[in-house]
Amino acid sequence: MMEPVLTIVVPCYNEEEVLPDTIHKLRQLLLELMADELVSKQSKILFVDDGSKDRTWDMIYKEGLKSEYIRGLKLSRNVGHQNALLAGLFTAKDLSDCIVSIDADLQDDIQVIREFILKFHEGCEIVYGVRKGRETDTLFKRSTAQGFYKMMKILGVDLVYNHADFRLMSRRALQALERFNEVNLFLRGIVPLLGFRTDVVYYDRLERQAGETKYPLKKMLAFAFDGITSFSISPIRFVLMLGLVSFFMSLVFGGYFLTLKFFGDTETGWTSLITSIWLIGGLQLIAIGLIGEYVGKIYKEAKQRPKYIVDIDSFNLPFSRHRLLQQTDDSLDFRKISDSNK
Ligand code: UDP
Ligand code: MG
């Protein structure tokens, strides 16, 4: 039997601190998998540099020159984790039978990749890595993440609980994924929609080895909000319900105020009047803002802008690896290389 070609896709944003170790460990794993004849010798690790400002691309690039198992993809600017991941998945797709995605900080146990491959051999097209617990995360991260899953569930979005973007996908699954043309592609919500035979592998999540999280609270909130609004229209329904309730309430109050006007002292109406002006005004603003969110989404989708732009793919470089290796490190000018590539 022919072994499947595996590509491990690793999005990297300012990861110079963890990268040397990550490269070493992943290559070791790949060599072991090859030795055990679980994956083909054509298998690769694809590092996607998501517009890093530190030496990340330098490192990826040089490793790529040294080892035939390492491929580097440099995006033209920072496009965020999800899009960097997509860039890697779609770039690797044509040359691989299966693809595993994993974060650069190796918080996810890389030994689980072996189990992914075994499941793939059994015929699974999608295999999710699921954390057993979140002991290593801070209490804050844990509770916000759990809140996120709960909220998504209430809003009717089907997510795999405690699964981040550590998963295996077959080429067929990726071809299906590619047909989802949306610009706001929320991977964790879309992948379960693909169907196919799927399975789950449980593992313990470790701590980030070095460097710090690239997902501060602001990005996390944006991510959660994006996830909700690109998947569910429940917020709009909620606003509609609120609108209906306040409409009926205003009818009741309106009747009450009219009665007061004809039979009593009108001045008492001022308090309730000013309160309801604020109330209704607030509700309207919320509603308009929310609808604006969705209109914004439609606007983005209508434009169909590319989700990422590739600057350099180390596979397409015009130079032979030997010639580049002979140059000193300083003379490696990446800009020149990418320009002469065009
Ligand atoms: N990442 C990226 N682009 C970004 C932010 C993050 O490619 O704009 C990568 C990052 O290098 C890492 C992965 O996404 O490989 C997850 O980031 P991180 O580990 O910081 O997130 P956390 O595990 O804290 O949620
Ligand atoms: Mg991490």
Side-chain angles (χ1 to χ4, degrees), residues 195-237:
F196 291 122
R197 206 172 133 191
T198 57
D199 210 334
V200 167
V201 177
Y202 293 92
Y203 66 98
D204 288 311
R205 186 150 156 117
L206 315 167
E207 256 170 276
R208 199 176 225 289
Q209 295 181 328
E212 51 195 40
T213 175
K214 309 295 182 293
Y215 265 104
L217 179 64
K218 205 175 129 209
K219 267 196 198 172
M220 248 162 59
L221 287 178
F223 180 67
F225 198 72
D226 246 17
I228 292 165
T229 50
S230 55
F231 259 85
S232 135
I233 57 162
S234 311
I236 288 188
R237 285 210 186 114

Coordinates of all heavy atoms in Angstrom, one line a residue, residues 195-237:
G195 N -19.5 17.2 7.0 CA -19.9 15.9 7.0 C -18.7 14.9 6.9 O -17.7 15.2 7.5
F196 N -18.8 13.9 6.1 CA -17.7 12.8 6.0 C -17.6 12.1 7.3 O -18.2 12.4 8.3 CB -16.4 13.4 5.7 CG -16.3 14.0 4.3 CD1 -15.9 15.3 4.1 CD2 -16.5 13.2 3.2 CE1 -15.8 15.9 2.8 CE2 -16.4 13.8 1.9 CZ -16.1 15.1 1.7
R197 N -16.8 11.0 7.2 CA -16.6 10.2 8.4 C -15.6 10.9 9.3 O -14.5 11.3 8.9 CB -16.0 8.8 8.0 CG -16.3 7.8 9.0 CD -15.8 6.4 8.5 NE -15.1 5.7 9.5 CZ -14.4 4.7 9.3 NH1 -14.3 4.1 8.1 NH2 -13.8 4.1 10.3
T198 N -16.0 11.2 10.6 CA -15.2 11.9 11.5 C -14.9 11.1 12.8 O -15.7 10.2 13.1 CB -15.8 13.3 11.9 OG1 -17.1 13.0 12.4 CG2 -16.0 14.2 10.7
D199 N -13.9 11.5 13.4 CA -13.6 10.9 14.7 C -12.9 11.9 15.6 O -12.6 13.0 15.2 CB -12.7 9.7 14.6 CG -13.0 8.7 15.6 OD1 -13.4 9.1 16.8 OD2 -12.8 7.5 15.4
V200 N -12.7 11.6 16.9 CA -12.1 12.5 17.9 C -11.0 11.8 18.6 O -11.1 10.6 18.9 CB -13.3 12.9 18.9 CG1 -12.7 13.6 20.1 CG2 -14.3 13.8 18.2
V201 N -9.9 12.5 18.9 CA -8.9 12.0 19.7 C -8.7 13.0 20.9 O -8.6 14.2 20.7 CB -7.5 11.9 19.0 CG1 -6.4 11.4 19.9 CG2 -7.6 11.0 17.8
Y202 N -8.7 12.4 22.1 CA -8.6 13.2 23.3 C -7.1 13.4 23.8 O -6.4 12.4 23.6 CB -9.4 12.7 24.5 CG -10.9 12.7 24.2 CD1 -11.5 11.6 23.6 CD2 -11.6 13.8 24.5 CE1 -12.9 11.7 23.3 CE2 -13.0 13.9 24.2 CZ -13.6 12.8 23.6 OH -14.9 12.9 23.3
Y203 N -6.8 14.5 24.3 CA -5.4 14.7 24.7 C -5.3 15.8 25.8 O -6.3 16.6 26.0 CB -4.5 15.1 23.5 CG -4.8 16.5 23.0 CD1 -4.1 17.6 23.3 CD2 -5.9 16.6 22.1 CE1 -4.4 18.8 22.8 CE2 -6.2 17.9 21.6 CZ -5.5 19.0 21.9 OH -5.8 20.2 21.4
D204 N -4.2 15.9 26.5 CA -4.0 16.9 27.5 C -3.3 18.1 26.9 O -2.3 18.0 26.2 CB -3.1 16.4 28.7 CG -3.9 15.4 29.5 OD1 -5.0 15.8 29.9 OD2 -3.4 14.3 29.8
R205 N -3.9 19.3 27.1 CA -3.2 20.5 26.5 C -2.2 21.0 27.5 O -2.3 21.0 28.7 CB -4.3 21.6 26.3 CG -3.8 22.8 25.6 CD -4.9 23.4 24.8 NE -4.6 24.8 24.6 CZ -4.5 25.3 23.3 NH1 -4.5 24.5 22.3 NH2 -4.3 26.6 23.2
L206 N -1.0 21.3 26.9 CA 0.1 21.8 27.7 C 0.1 23.3 27.7 O -0.7 24.0 27.1 CB 1.4 21.3 27.0 CG 1.4 19.8 26.6 CD1 2.5 19.5 25.7 CD2 1.4 18.9 27.8
E207 N 1.1 23.8 28.4 CA 1.3 25.2 28.5 C 2.1 25.7 27.3 O 2.9 25.0 26.7 CB 2.0 25.6 29.8 CG 1.0 26.2 30.8 CD 1.7 26.4 32.2 OE1 1.7 25.4 32.9 OE2 2.2 27.4 32.4
R208 N 1.9 27.0 26.9 CA 2.7 27.6 25.9 C 4.2 27.5 26.3 O 4.5 27.8 27.4 CB 2.3 29.1 25.7 CG 2.7 29.7 24.5 CD 2.1 31.1 24.4 NE 1.5 31.4 23.1 CZ 2.3 31.5 22.0 NH1 3.6 31.4 22.0 NH2 1.7 31.7 20.8
Q209 N 5.0 27.1 25.4 CA 6.4 26.8 25.8 C 7.2 28.1 26.0 O 7.9 28.2 27.0 CB 7.1 26.1 24.7 CG 6.6 24.7 24.5 CD 7.3 23.9 23.4 OE1 7.7 24.5 22.5 NE2 7.4 22.6 23.6
A210 N 7.0 29.1 25.2 CA 7.7 30.3 25.4 C 6.9 31.4 24.6 O 6.0 31.1 23.9 CB 9.1 30.2 24.8
G211 N 7.3 32.6 24.8 CA 6.6 33.7 24.1 C 5.3 33.9 24.8 O 5.0 33.2 25.8
E212 N 4.4 34.8 24.3 CA 3.2 35.0 25.0 C 2.0 34.8 24.0 O 2.2 34.7 22.8 CB 3.1 36.3 25.6 CG 3.5 37.5 24.7 CD 3.8 38.7 25.5 OE1 4.4 38.6 26.6 OE2 3.4 39.8 25.0
T213 N 0.8 34.7 24.5 CA -0.3 34.4 23.7 C -0.5 35.5 22.6 O -0.3 36.7 23.0 CB -1.6 34.2 24.5 OG1 -2.7 34.1 23.6 CG2 -1.9 35.4 25.4
K214 N -0.9 35.1 21.4 CA -1.1 36.1 20.4 C -2.6 36.4 20.4 O -3.2 37.0 19.5 CB -0.7 35.6 19.0 CG 0.8 35.1 19.0 CD 1.8 36.3 19.3 CE 3.2 35.8 19.2 NZ 3.6 34.9 20.3
Y215 N -3.3 35.9 21.4 CA -4.8 36.1 21.4 C -5.1 36.9 22.7 O -5.6 36.3 23.7 CB -5.6 34.8 21.4 CG -6.0 34.5 20.1 CD1 -5.4 33.5 19.3 CD2 -7.2 35.1 19.5 CE1 -5.9 33.1 18.1 CE2 -7.6 34.7 18.3 CZ -7.0 33.8 17.6 OH -7.4 33.4 16.3
P216 N -4.8 38.2 22.8 CA -5.2 38.9 24.0 C -6.8 39.0 24.0 O -7.4 38.7 23.0 CB -4.6 40.3 23.8 CG -4.4 40.4 22.3 CD -4.2 39.0 21.8
L217 N -7.3 39.5 25.1 CA -8.8 39.6 25.3 C -9.5 40.2 24.1 O -10.5 39.8 23.6 CB -9.1 40.3 26.6 CG -10.6 40.4 26.8 CD1 -11.2 39.1 27.0 CD2 -10.8 41.3 28.1
K218 N -8.9 41.3 23.6 CA -9.5 42.1 22.5 C -9.7 41.2 21.3 O -10.8 41.1 20.7 CB -8.7 43.3 22.1 CG -9.4 44.4 21.5 CD -8.6 45.6 21.3 CE -8.7 46.1 19.9 NZ -7.5 46.7 19.3
K219 N -8.7 40.4 20.9 CA -8.8 39.5 19.8 C -9.8 38.4 20.0 O -10.5 38.0 19.2 CB -7.4 38.9 19.4 CG -6.7 39.7 18.4 CD -5.5 38.9 17.8 CE -4.5 39.7 17.1 NZ -3.3 38.9 16.8
M220 N -9.8 37.9 21.3 CA -10.6 36.8 21.6 C -12.1 37.2 21.5 O -12.9 36.5 21.0 CB -10.4 36.4 23.1 CG -9.7 35.0 23.2 SD -9.0 34.7 24.7 CE -10.3 34.9 25.9
L221 N -12.4 38.4 22.0 CA -13.8 38.9 21.9 C -14.2 39.1 20.5 O -15.3 38.7 20.0 CB -13.9 40.3 22.7 CG -13.9 40.1 24.2 CD1 -14.0 41.5 24.8 CD2 -15.0 39.2 24.7
A222 N -13.3 39.7 19.7 CA -13.5 39.9 18.2 C -13.8 38.5 17.6 O -14.7 38.4 16.8 CB -12.4 40.6 17.6
F223 N -13.0 37.5 17.9 CA -13.2 36.2 17.4 C -14.5 35.6 17.7 O -15.2 35.1 16.9 CB -12.0 35.3 18.0 CG -12.0 33.9 17.5 CD1 -11.8 33.6 16.2 CD2 -12.3 32.9 18.3 CE1 -11.7 32.3 15.7 CE2 -12.3 31.6 17.9 CZ -12.0 31.3 16.6
A224 N -14.9 35.7 19.0 CA -16.2 35.2 19.5 C -17.3 35.9 18.7 O -18.3 35.3 18.3 CB -16.3 35.3 21.0
F225 N -17.2 37.2 18.7 CA -18.3 38.0 18.0 C -18.5 37.7 16.6 O -19.6 37.5 16.0 CB -18.0 39.5 18.2 CG -19.2 40.3 18.0 CD1 -20.2 40.4 19.0 CD2 -19.3 41.1 16.9 CE1 -21.4 41.1 18.8 CE2 -20.5 41.9 16.7 CZ -21.5 41.9 17.6
D226 N -17.3 37.5 15.9 CA -17.3 37.1 14.5 C -17.9 35.8 14.3 O -18.7 35.6 13.4 CB -15.8 37.0 14.0 CG -15.5 38.0 13.0 OD1 -16.3 39.0 12.9 OD2 -14.5 37.9 12.3
G227 N -17.6 34.9 15.2 CA -18.1 33.5 15.1 C -19.6 33.5 15.2 O -20.3 32.9 14.5
I228 N -20.1 34.4 16.1 CA -21.6 34.4 16.3 C -22.3 35.0 15.1 O -23.2 34.5 14.5 CB -22.0 35.2 17.6 CG1 -21.5 34.4 18.8 CG2 -23.5 35.4 17.7 CD1 -21.5 35.2 20.1
T229 N -21.8 36.2 14.7 CA -22.5 36.9 13.7 C -22.3 36.3 12.3 O -23.1 36.6 11.4 CB -22.1 38.4 13.6 OG1 -20.7 38.5 13.6 CG2 -22.6 39.2 14.8
S230 N -21.3 35.5 12.1 CA -21.2 34.9 10.8 C -21.9 33.6 10.7 O -21.9 32.9 9.7 CB -19.7 34.8 10.3 OG -19.0 34.0 11.3
F231 N -22.5 33.2 11.8 CA -23.2 31.9 11.8 C -24.7 31.9 12.2 O -25.4 31.1 11.8 CB -22.5 31.0 12.7 CG -21.6 30.1 12.0 CD1 -20.4 30.5 11.6 CD2 -22.1 28.9 11.5 CE1 -19.6 29.7 10.8 CE2 -21.4 28.1 10.7 CZ -20.1 28.5 10.4
S232 N -25.1 32.9 13.0 CA -26.4 32.8 13.6 C -27.1 34.1 13.4 O -26.5 35.2 13.5 CB -26.2 32.4 15.0 OG -27.1 33.1 15.8
I233 N -28.4 34.0 13.2 CA -29.2 35.2 13.1 C -30.0 35.4 14.4 O -30.9 36.3 14.5 CB -30.1 35.3 11.9 CG1 -31.1 34.1 11.9 CG2 -29.3 35.4 10.6 CD1 -32.2 34.3 11.0
S234 N -29.7 34.6 15.4 CA -30.4 34.7 16.7 C -30.4 36.1 17.3 O -31.4 36.6 17.8 CB -29.9 33.7 17.7 OG -29.9 32.4 17.1
P235 N -29.2 36.8 17.2 CA -29.2 38.1 17.8 C -30.3 39.0 17.2 O -30.9 39.8 17.8 CB -27.8 38.6 17.5 CG -27.0 37.4 17.5 CD -27.9 36.4 16.8
I236 N -30.5 38.9 15.8 CA -31.5 39.7 15.2 C -32.9 39.4 15.7 O -33.7 40.3 16.0 CB -31.4 39.5 13.6 CG1 -30.2 40.2 13.1 CG2 -32.7 40.1 13.0 CD1 -30.1 40.2 11.6
R237 N -33.1 38.1 15.9 CA -34.4 37.7 16.4 C -34.6 38.2 17.8 O -35.7 38.6 18.1 CB -34.5 36.1 16.4 CG -34.7 35.6 15.1 CD -35.5 34.3 15.1 NE -35.4 33.9 13.7 CZ -34.8 32.8 13.3 NH1 -34.2 32.0 14.2 NH2 -34.7 32.5 12.0

